[in-house]
Amino acid sequence: MPQFTKDQPQLIETVSIENNDAASKAQGAVGYFSAEQGVTGTGSGKVGFVSLGCPKALVDSERILTQLRSEGYDVVPSYDDADVVVVNTCGFIDSAVQESLDAIGEAIAENGKVIVTGCLGVKADEIREKHPQVLSISGPQAYETVVSAVHEQLPPAHDPFTSLIPPHGVKLTPKHYAYLKISEGCNQSCTFCIIPSMRGKLVSRPVESVLDEAKRLVDNGVRELLVVSQDTGAYGVDTKYKTGQWQGQEVRTRFLDLCAALGDLGAWVRLHYLYPYPHIDDVMPLMAEGKILPYLDIPFQHASPRILKMMKRPGSVDNLLSRIKAWRQVCPELTIRSTFIVGFPGETEDDFEMLLDFLREAQLDRVGCFKYSPVEGAVANELADPVPEAIQQDRFERFMAVQAQISAERLQQKVGKRMRVIVDEVTPEGSVARTPGDAPEIDGLVFIDNVIDVKPGDILDVVIEEADEHDMWAHLA
């Protein structure tokens, strides 16, 4: 039996704040109070940083920290050492709101000087009602406001003759992978979601800016780029696919063109948070050719046309099943990750059985599930026939049981196969890695016994020995 278990730690360069909320973890939620090691400022002061929520929020935290580092601030890994603490909050669902409020309270209790930003910041009254001591509150993407609030408490002592930050900026992820945020906001109007009211309408970054950042990251050792936004496939819609110039060539501000250009940089490129637009089909050849990873993260949310209509999501399930089949014909190695909501207002047993039938037919590789949670300001709260908690829980457990069997069967098909993996961690027992079908934090791991003469970011060829419903064990090929 392999020595490794699923309890092996996944991060070694940051100190994580414990997060027991399963829903947040399913979305890749992270909580850090940390800094990259070995980089210090020039006496402006010491800032503690707590980052909660999804990878998009993590990128916001990295941008704030990069600015603070450029002004000479040290980012310290404990409350006791900090002159002020910044908490980047999440406010998407009730459990995330509570986690953010608890994190603010802990920072106040441990340090006393707390600046709040992030998605929950749009509900300043709710924060001040619970924690009136906070020094400043701002919403998401309010980089200048956060930095100004730090300035008020700790005036910067910038030394322009000293190099304070690495060329790729401050990162909260391990050095071998990084999140690349390509746009802000969202134009969709899903009835269960309040993200557009928090982060606004879609605003795509200039394509040359995205590619410049991606190249800097790769040039400085990043081996995997995780492309994120609120709606990744909509990239460039707001600019009418404006043409930019990058390295002497024209590149359109368009999803497919960006994917092709990123695929030329020599790193793994992983796509997250896609809406099932028709043009998603166009990236399948890039995946089949190995230019970008054969991995799609598309939250389908449900499979009942009636429920999808109430969610304001695409409702043609038969068309979706045929597209999934076509994707796999073009790219047989494709891994599909998705998330679903059970217990949406008005969901009947027939609707739920339709969802289970879809799971069995679609054979998705990685799936997360949420019980519907009313979010203040969401249109879905006004829908009739809310589903009782006991029924939500029953459907959640039945859903996960069906998907666990599917996931286990999908992974069993990989046993005996040769696969390429990227190393995340090296322990005395061996290496912890991921396949192209596994995103960090949210998907499975590959444990390789007795392989210790490698380092994080190394890409290895292995043969899969065995698997369960989530992880795999392997030896070097």
Side-chain angles (χ1 to χ4, degrees):
M1 183 68 186
Q3 300 172 18
F4 278 165
T5 69
K6 290 186 291 182
D7 295 325
Q8 293 288 335
Q10 297 183 41
L11 290 174
I12 58 174
E13 293 185 298
T14 56
V15 180
S16 295
I17 289 179
E18 184 177 2
N19 175 4
N20 292 319
D21 178 60
S24 294
K25 285 183 178 179
Q27 287 287 350
V30 290
Y32 301 107
F33 190 93
S34 167
E36 285 187 7
Q37 298 177 4
V39 184
T40 60
T42 58
S44 291
K46 298 178 180 179
V47 179
F49 209 103
V50 179
S51 184
L52 302 171
C54 64
K56 283 90 72 179
L58 186 69
V59 173
D60 292 344
S61 297
E62 291 172 342
R63 290 179 180 175
I64 293 167
L65 286 172
T66 296
Q67 180 61 36
L68 292 175
R69 280 279 179 80
S70 73
E71 296 177 352
Y73 293 93
D74 290 335
V75 182
V76 294
S78 71
Y79 291 113
D80 291 341
D81 294 334
D83 298 312
V84 66
V85 176
V86 178
V87 181
N88 190 1
T89 59
C90 179
F92 181 53
I93 57 177
D94 289 348
S95 57
V97 170
Q98 188 57 54
E99 182 182 24
S100 293
L101 290 172
D102 290 345
I104 295 168
E106 178 181 295
I108 290 172
E110 297 292 333
N111 182 274
K113 294 184 177 181
V114 178
I115 294 166
V116 176
T117 189
C119 286
L120 188 59
V122 300
K123 301 179 180 179
D125 291 343
E126 183 175 345
I127 295 173
R128 290 205 180 277
E129 181 180 353
K130 186 75 178 290
H131 301 299
Q133 309 97 311
V134 296
L135 301 172
S136 170
I137 300 175
S138 58
Q141 303 144 233
Y143 313 123
E144 293 181 1
T145 303
V146 177
V147 172
S148 295
V150 173
H151 289 173
E152 290 182 11
Q153 300 301 315
L154 301 168
H158 176 60
D159 180 356
F161 298 103
T162 303
S163 177
L164 301 170
I165 57 174
H168 57 286
V170 175
K171 291 295 166 190
L172 294 175
T173 52
K175 293 180 180 179
H176 62 286
Y177 69 81
Y179 293 103
L180 180 68
K181 186 157 65 168
I182 63 175
S183 65
E184 302 284 1
C186 180
N187 289 343
Q188 301 300 333
S189 55
C190 303
T191 59
F192 53 82
C193 183
I194 58 172
I195 291 297
S197 66
M198 289 181 170
R199 290 185 171 261
K201 293 293 186 179
L202 175 71
V203 179
S204 300
R205 291 177 59 192
V207 67
E208 57 269 27
S209 173
V210 175
L211 292 173
D212 280 343
E213 180 182 351
K215 188 175 187 305
R216 283 197 304 273
L217 290 167
V218 174
D219 288 346
N220 285 277
V222 169
R223 304 297 303 277
E224 180 179 4
L225 297 169
L226 299 108
V227 181
V228 297
S229 67
Q230 302 302 325
D231 186 357
T232 298
Y235 177 70
V237 169
D238 56 310
T239 70
K240 298 182 179 179
Y241 309 117
K242 178 182 178 182
T243 298
Q245 292 285 333
W246 191 68
Q247 293 194 336
Q249 296 183 343
E250 290 188 349
V251 182
R252 296 180 69 190
T253 308
R254 192 175 68 151
F255 173 66
L256 180 61
D257 299 64
L258 177 64
C259 290
L262 290 173
D264 289 334
L265 295 179
W268 283 16
V269 178
R270 189 182 302 278
L271 304 178
H272 285 280
Y273 310 121
L274 295 161
Y275 196 82
Y277 299 113
H279 66 257
I280 299 302
D281 302 2
D282 298 338
V283 303
M284 288 301 114
L286 294 179
M287 294 183 178
E289 294 166 14
K291 294 197 70 173
I292 62 176
L293 293 181
Y295 182 96
L296 284 180
D297 178 1
I298 304 183
F300 295 129
Q301 306 299 3
H302 214 280
S304 162
R306 191 178 69 87
I307 297 299
L308 288 168
K309 184 177 180 180
M310 290 194 292
M311 289 179 169
K312 291 193 174 181
R313 301 283 297 184
S316 177
V317 175
D318 290 340
N319 179 56
L320 183 55
L321 286 170
S322 66
R323 289 179 69 198
I324 291 172
K325 183 178 180 180
W327 292 342
R328 287 174 170 155
Q329 287 176 339
V330 175
C331 183
E333 301 302 316
L334 177 66
T335 293
I336 303 175
R337 154 164 281 283
S338 190
T339 52
F340 296 86
I341 298 173
V342 298
F344 191 79
E347 182 190 62
T348 66
E349 183 64 20
D350 286 345
D351 292 319
F352 179 68
E353 287 293 342
M354 196 175 298
L355 174 56
L356 295 184
D357 289 343
F358 174 81
L359 285 182
R360 297 184 184 104
E361 183 72 18
Q363 292 287 297
L364 304 177
D365 301 88
R366 302 293 192 184
V367 171
C369 183
F370 298 86
K371 293 179 290 183
Y372 175 75
S373 174
V375 179
E376 184 179 349
V379 175
N381 298 342
E382 302 171 7
L383 296 175
D385 302 320
V387 179
E389 168 64 27
I391 295 178
Q392 284 193 1
Q393 182 64 29
D394 174 70
R395 290 176 182 172
F396 173 84
E397 292 173 1
R398 290 159 60 195
F399 178 102
M400 294 307 296
V402 169
Q403 183 56 45
Q405 182 176 355
I406 293 170
S407 295
E409 291 172 355
R410 297 287 295 178
L411 287 185
Q412 282 299 317
Q413 296 173 16
K414 301 181 187 298
V415 173
K417 289 188 175 181
R418 182 185 180 115
M419 300 192 74
R420 183 150 287 190
V421 299
I422 187 168
V423 176
D424 278 344
E425 180 186 2
V426 181
T427 77
E429 293 81 21
S431 299
V432 184
R434 289 177 291 107
T435 74
D438 296 298
E441 297 293 296
I442 56 175
D443 292 328
L445 300 171
V446 178
F447 300 104
I448 315 167
D449 287 335
N450 303 317
V451 175
I452 59 175
D453 56 343
V454 295
K455 62 184 182 300
D458 283 352
I459 294 177
L460 312 174
D461 288 319
V462 302
V463 175
I464 303 300
E465 296 177 355
E466 57 181 284
D468 58 18
E469 73 276 7
H470 196 70
D471 300 318
M472 297 183 288
W473 288 261
H475 63 263
L476 289 179

